[in-house]
Amino acid sequence: MLLAAGLAAGLAACGAPGGDGGQAANPQAVPDKPSKPVELNILDVAGNLQLTKQMIENFKAAHPEVLSKVTYSTAPAPSMAGKLKAEQDGGVAQTHLVLSGTDGLSAGIANGTLAKILPDFAGRFPNLMQNYQEPAAKMQELANGYGVELVYSPAGPLLEYNPGAVPAAPASPQELLDWAKAHPEKFQYAQPSNSGPGRTFLMGLPYLLGDKDPKDPDKGWDKTWAFLQELGKYVKYYPSGTTETMKNLASGSVAMVTSMTGWDLNPRKLGTVPNTVKTAMMQPMHWVTDAQYALIPKGLSPDQESAILQLIAWMLKPDQQAIAYDDGYFYPGPAVKDVTLQMAPQKSQDTIKQFGRPEYEQWIAQYPKETSLPAEQQVKAFDKWNQLVGGSKVGKK
């Protein structure tokens, strides 16, 4: 389902229904601790559990008086807003915590299914903004109070390629277009509404192309839309998620894909992509930063909200944040300051030593960092991409 279609009816939606166990009327109604241990159903629409599941399990073990049971489920990001809307319209909030990237965050804000966390519960997160890394703090601002950032990455846009098929990586969008013309159907990226690399490529192009307003996809991206339409002539189809592009790169059906730091490291660690692939950036490079958030749906009980707020605060502790280095999935991963690789589990240290790229630290320090689009603009960008670019090639091989 296209994100735009999923949002069409929800854009005018209001709050969750009332009834027993409904949304707490005000922050004062939410206790510091739940009156009894609660069960939480956690929905991951971003692959975030790879980074945070151990943090959650650590909290559950340390605080049995708060959590009695945790169940996990996953879904594609474009389906999240509709799922929450259906639950809330039915008066039963079956999903208690959502782990989401900017795509799900944007959709949830747009259709009114998320509870406000900040500034309502700012007291539960002392010095939140000061504790974030500076670019991570800017990503937190994008949440408009409807989410709390858990992990951060400078992200991309990067190109990942098979050096046997691409001896010299494109160094600019024009070189990428020229290469795609010369090698039809050998370049690929996934649908931006459900792909970090696809989304980052989309939002990075206005900086690379010198578009009028990189923050206005509707009226400021003339060069970007023209470029993507031209590039699309040489793209066979747009997969529904990033994993498929990586598998296609590994199989040789494509020779180059869009990527991000984490999507470069982790698939090589997992063996999905051979360790021989290379990455490159186009100029003038601007990082488009990425983040993943904890979102609280409307319609929860005060005890449920209490437990979730405690859990989120726990996940922001430096010792828990160090777990986010993981196997490089969202490299580096930690959102808060002064969380070094040396604090991470040995497995993470070994993985990043083996599969990390020394040039990343230099690139991250060297090039400017831009936030992802705000929620409303991100929805517009996905909608316009679907209309102008995706067309009949979405998800079709």
Side-chain angles (χ1 to χ4, degrees), residues 69-154:
K69 183 180 179 181
V70 179
T71 60
Y72 303 98
S73 61
T74 61
S79 69
M80 182 208 87
K83 174 178 171 60
L84 297 185
K85 181 74 163 53
E87 290 181 13
Q88 292 166 19
D89 285 352
V92 180
Q94 298 172 325
T95 302
H96 306 135
L97 174 64
V98 179
L99 305 174
S100 173
T102 57
D103 41 12
L105 170 69
S106 302
I109 292 174
N111 82 340
T113 51
L114 302 179
K116 194 88 167 178
I117 303 174
L118 299 169
D120 304 48
F121 296 104
R124 311 288 178 110
F125 310 103
N127 301 312
L128 178 69
M129 297 302 287
Q130 294 90 329
N131 290 338
Y132 281 131
Q133 299 181 54
E134 182 182 352
K138 292 180 179 178
M139 288 299 292
Q140 173 59 34
E141 291 173 359
L142 287 186
N144 292 330
Y146 288 96
V148 176
E149 182 179 0
L150 299 175
V151 293
Y152 158 79
S153 173

Side-chain angles (χ1 to χ4, degrees), residues 2 9 39 43 50 56 60 66-67 76 121 138 147 170 173 194 211 234 240 245 272 352 379 382 384:
L2 299 183
E39 297 185 10
L43 173 65
Q50 184 162 326
I56 298 167
K60 180 175 174 289
V66 177
L67 287 187
F121 296 104
K138 292 180 179 178
N194 197 42
D211 244 326
Y234 313 102
S240 60
T245 69
T272 307
I352 291 169
V379 171
F382 297 156
K384 198 155 186 175

Side-chain angles (χ1 to χ4, degrees), residues 157 189-190 195-202 242 245-246 258-260 263:
Y189 64 99
S195 166
R199 185 166 64 248
T200 306
F201 178 60
L202 177 65
T242 312
T245 69
M246 293 296 166
T258 60
S259 192
M260 297 170 14
W263 272 103

Side-chain angles (χ1 to χ4, degrees), residues 59-344:
F59 179 81
K60 180 175 174 289
H63 292 284
E65 79 282 5
V66 177
L67 287 187
S68 61
K69 183 180 179 181
V70 179
T71 60
Y72 303 98
S73 61
T74 61
S79 69
M80 182 208 87
K83 174 178 171 60
L84 297 185
K85 181 74 163 53
E87 290 181 13
Q88 292 166 19
D89 285 352
V92 180
Q94 298 172 325
T95 302
H96 306 135
L97 174 64
V98 179
L99 305 174
S100 173
T102 57
D103 41 12
L105 170 69
S106 302
I109 292 174
N111 82 340
T113 51
L114 302 179
K116 194 88 167 178
I117 303 174
L118 299 169
D120 304 48
F121 296 104
R124 311 288 178 110
F125 310 103
N127 301 312
L128 178 69
M129 297 302 287
Q130 294 90 329
N131 290 338
Y132 281 131
Q133 299 181 54
E134 182 182 352
K138 292 180 179 178
M139 288 299 292
Q140 173 59 34
E141 291 173 359
L142 287 186
N144 292 330
Y146 288 96
V148 176
E149 182 179 0
L150 299 175
V151 293
Y152 158 79
S153 173
L158 300 174
L159 297 175
E160 188 167 338
Y161 62 97
N162 173 2
V166 188
S172 69
Q174 185 59 52
E175 289 186 16
L176 173 60
L177 181 58
D178 292 343
W179 187 90
K181 284 182 179 179
H183 305 84
E185 300 185 355
K186 289 296 184 178
F187 171 75
Q188 189 174 66
Y189 64 99
Q191 298 167 41
S193 65
N194 197 42
S195 166
R199 185 166 64 248
T200 306
F201 178 60
L202 177 65
M203 293 187 286
L205 279 171
Y207 297 99
L208 290 164
L209 294 167
D211 244 326
K212 183 171 62 177
D213 185 353
K215 296 296 188 186
D216 185 354
D218 189 31
K219 298 179 181 177
W221 285 19
D222 290 351
K223 294 178 181 178
T224 295
W225 297 124
F227 175 85
L228 288 172
Q229 287 177 309
E230 183 66 20
L231 181 66
K233 296 176 182 178
Y234 313 102
V235 174
K236 184 177 182 180
Y237 75 103
Y238 303 100
S240 60
T242 312
T243 299
E244 188 173 342
T245 69
M246 293 296 166
K247 290 179 178 178
N248 291 341
L249 178 65
S251 71
S253 62
V254 300
M256 184 160 42
V257 299
T258 60
S259 192
M260 297 170 14
T261 53
W263 272 103
D264 165 40
L265 269 68
N266 188 247
R268 286 187 290 119
K269 155 67 177 175
L270 297 176
T272 307
V273 174
N275 200 24
T276 52
V277 299
K278 301 292 184 184
T279 58
M281 61 174 57
M282 296 181 283
Q283 296 294 348
M285 175 63 178
H286 287 240
W287 291 101
V288 176
T289 58
D290 201 6
Q292 295 178 352
Y293 304 83
L295 314 178
I296 303 178
K298 289 181 176 178
L300 306 191
S301 72
D303 275 356
Q304 288 170 327
E305 286 199 9
S306 174
I308 291 167
L309 292 168
Q310 284 186 260
L311 171 61
I312 295 171
W314 168 276
M315 295 165 78
L316 293 175
K317 294 170 57 179
D319 62 333
Q320 300 303 306
Q321 282 281 295
I323 297 170
Y325 278 100
D326 181 58
D327 283 335
Y329 173 68
F330 208 67
Y331 183 81
V336 305
K337 293 175 181 174
D338 303 324
V339 179
T340 65
L341 181 59
Q342 289 68 37
M343 297 167 63

